[in-house]
Amino acid sequence: MNLTRRTLLATGTVAGAAGAIAGLPATAAAKPSGPLRQDPFTLGVASGDPDHDGFVLWTRLAPQPLAEDGLGGMPARTVPVHWELAADERFRHVVRRGVALARPATAHSVHVELNGLLPGREYFYRFRAERYISPVGHTRTAPPPWTMPASLAMSFASCSQFEHGYFTAYRRLAEDEPELVLHLGDYQYEYTRDTYTIPGGNPRDHEGPETVTLANYRQRHAQYKTDPDLQAAHAVAPWAVVWDDHEVDNNWADEVYEKPEIPQPEFLARRAAAFQAYYENMPLRRTSIPRGIDMQLYRRLRWGRLATFHLLDTRQYRDDQACGDGYDACPAAYDPARSITGAEQERWLIDGFNRSDARWDVLGQQVFFAQRDNNAGPLTVTSMDAWDGYAASRDRITRGWVAAGVRNPVVLTGDVHAHWASDLKLDYTDPTSRTVGSELVCSSITSGGDGADSVTGSHPWLAINPHLRFQNNLRGYVRTTITPGQLAADFMVLPHVTTPGAPAHRRATFVTEDRVPGLHLTYDRPLDPAPAARGTGPDQGQRTVEQETVRP
């Protein structure tokens, strides 16, 4: 049937309850009941959302992870999963243990939400299902909320299109041994094979059709989670995740799907299925259990008094993009009634600014925050999918942190498949407007293919937008070190992703100092010249930053 928002809200049930999930299409029957005959821990382990006294431990049982019904080859019965938490990696000093129930209704996923632990401590964890034992994961609690930690090693990443390359960047991120990892969206992509391709062809393919049903999304998440490099990154540190668009549908906006000319009468059911699968496959707290087509994802994490992370959702509550999804000189982009966060999330965020006592207030979110005009003439032509398409919303939030006296605001961004760094202005229409914050944008893990290096400052948009300080089109991630005195961001790049095993290089480092808004370049080293890469080349930088707005 055609589900409406009203019927989905009325029939949506809490994840983890016994039986089918109301409002979602039924999947094929699971395997007959019986003992597990294959290792069910093919998707690895993860932890997330650390607090000063706890975190979430995650796994999902799937002996046949690519099963078309999305149920991972599991029997149609509840499976007890034993878990252990230890102070050492050999588990000689076990501090907690227990049993969680992996149920068919939630794809045999397990979320163990712990509290009452010691703050600022490292822990190791593992699971056991019948005779099988999982890999060991490493995690930690945040420092006590009243303390000022000496430092935090935090890395952030986004945009990992499985088909466009190998997840070597995740492996290199894990080798850095961060204390916290933020993923800013596009963790997985919805396309079927041969739909979203790079020049020279995709080195890997998606299994299954475009993700529409719950079974489709479960299968797609499972395929991504089987990647050993991604598993290594999850196992090394706690993650805090937020989605962008591809976890559901390219450029979706609240209840509006991407292309109105291609009707999706079941879009709300698709959205509910995507939300359910996202929760099942991420180390999220029970506060994020979906209820029909709604899921609470925006939230805060505190790292003592050093940093508060405000994790935003710029998809679920936004107004539809103005003048389409692409670049436009669109008057509606300045309409004060339009919002990218929705009114409730905006109030929550500004209230958080007013209450914050953190040295650094960090916004972890999805799309480009600073103005990015691609027109050298009198018109201002910007992306309608980014904050530029919701200029009044951006202005309210920027002025909100200024009015609250936020000491050091920093915005973290993904989405655009390239590294960027920018100063944030109070008024982008005034070239002399003061700098009131900094934005760090990570490139993709794989999306777009290999990319290419370029001389710092050579991208043509930097001349049009003097507040834009850096752009680089190689794949990678951003590695930060946050101290009371400064935030240093290393832009890490890989020379190729269409073949595995590439080394990671520090391409540039930008620093923002305590009480000094804006960025300072402290390290800049291009890679050695290399043969032409597959994917986006040096003459395709503009196309790369726009490709998120054009679905193949």
Side-chain angles (χ1 to χ4, degrees), residues 211-399:
T211 52
V212 175
T213 68
L214 181 57
N216 299 158
Y217 284 108
R218 284 171 167 172
Q219 181 193 38
R220 186 61 50 81
H221 275 283
Q223 182 176 17
Y224 278 57
K225 281 286 202 306
T226 58
D227 186 279
D229 296 331
L230 176 55
Q231 289 189 16
H234 271 299
V236 78
W239 283 40
V241 299
V242 287
W243 57 38
D244 192 14
D245 53 339
H246 290 291
E247 287 86 352
V248 181
D249 180 35
N250 184 50
N251 284 358
W252 68 282
D254 193 7
E255 297 183 16
V256 181
Y257 48 87
E258 179 194 9
K259 291 185 176 181
E261 68 274 17
I262 304 177
Q264 291 192 47
E266 306 291 341
F267 178 70
L268 294 184
R270 179 183 188 179
R271 169 173 154 163
F275 285 13
Q276 179 67 28
Y278 187 82
Y279 173 78
E280 290 171 352
N281 288 277
M282 293 295 175
L284 289 164
R285 292 180 180 270
R286 62 176 65 92
T287 51
S288 293
I289 292 174
R291 297 179 181 271
I293 63 169
D294 293 313
M295 182 171 170
Q296 178 69 44
L297 198 59
Y298 66 84
R299 61 204 189 279
R300 287 189 184 89
L301 301 179
R302 294 190 63 184
W303 206 263
R305 293 176 52 234
L306 179 65
T308 293
F309 295 92
H310 310 266
L311 302 172
L312 305 187
D313 178 353
T314 63
R315 288 291 166 188
Q316 190 174 179
Y317 314 104
R318 67 158 69 192
D319 290 292
D320 192 17
Q321 292 92 340
C323 301
D325 297 349
Y327 281 73
D328 204 300
C330 180
Y334 302 92
D335 183 350
R338 301 180 69 257
S339 174
I340 195 172
T341 62
E344 183 177 343
Q345 184 178 191
E346 183 179 303
R347 286 192 296 270
W348 167 87
L349 179 58
I350 292 175
D351 180 67
F353 293 153
N354 284 300
R355 295 174 181 270
S356 179
D357 62 356
R359 182 64 53 91
W360 301 89
D361 279 272
V362 182
L363 280 64
Q365 58 92 50
Q366 295 75 39
V367 293
F368 217 97
F369 194 86
Q371 180 173 288
R372 207 168 42 138
D373 182 5
N374 73 0
N375 186 283
L379 291 178
T380 299
V381 180
T382 59
S383 169
M384 295 298 99
D385 189 56
W387 287 81
D388 276 330
Y390 306 81
S393 188
R394 174 178 61 199
D395 184 66
R396 288 191 298 269
I397 287 171
T398 303
R399 293 182 184 277

Side-chain angles (χ1 to χ4, degrees), residues 19 37 56 135 182 401 487 514 518 543 551:
R37 302 184 184 279
V56 178
L182 303 189
W401 79 54
L487 187 155
D514 178 34
R543 191 182 335 172
R551 178 176 173 174

Side-chain angles (χ1 to χ4, degrees), residues 24 60 68 72 74 106 115 127 144 212 215 254 287 314 328 337 339 363 416 430 444 471 474 479 492 496:
L24 298 182
R60 179 183 159 202
E68 291 184 3
M74 284 295 293
T106 51
N115 53 35
F127 301 89
V212 175
D254 193 7
T287 51
T314 63
D328 204 300
S339 174
L363 280 64
V416 294
D430 179 4
S444 61
Q471 188 271 351
L474 287 166
R479 180 180 68 190
M492 307 300 294
H496 56 85

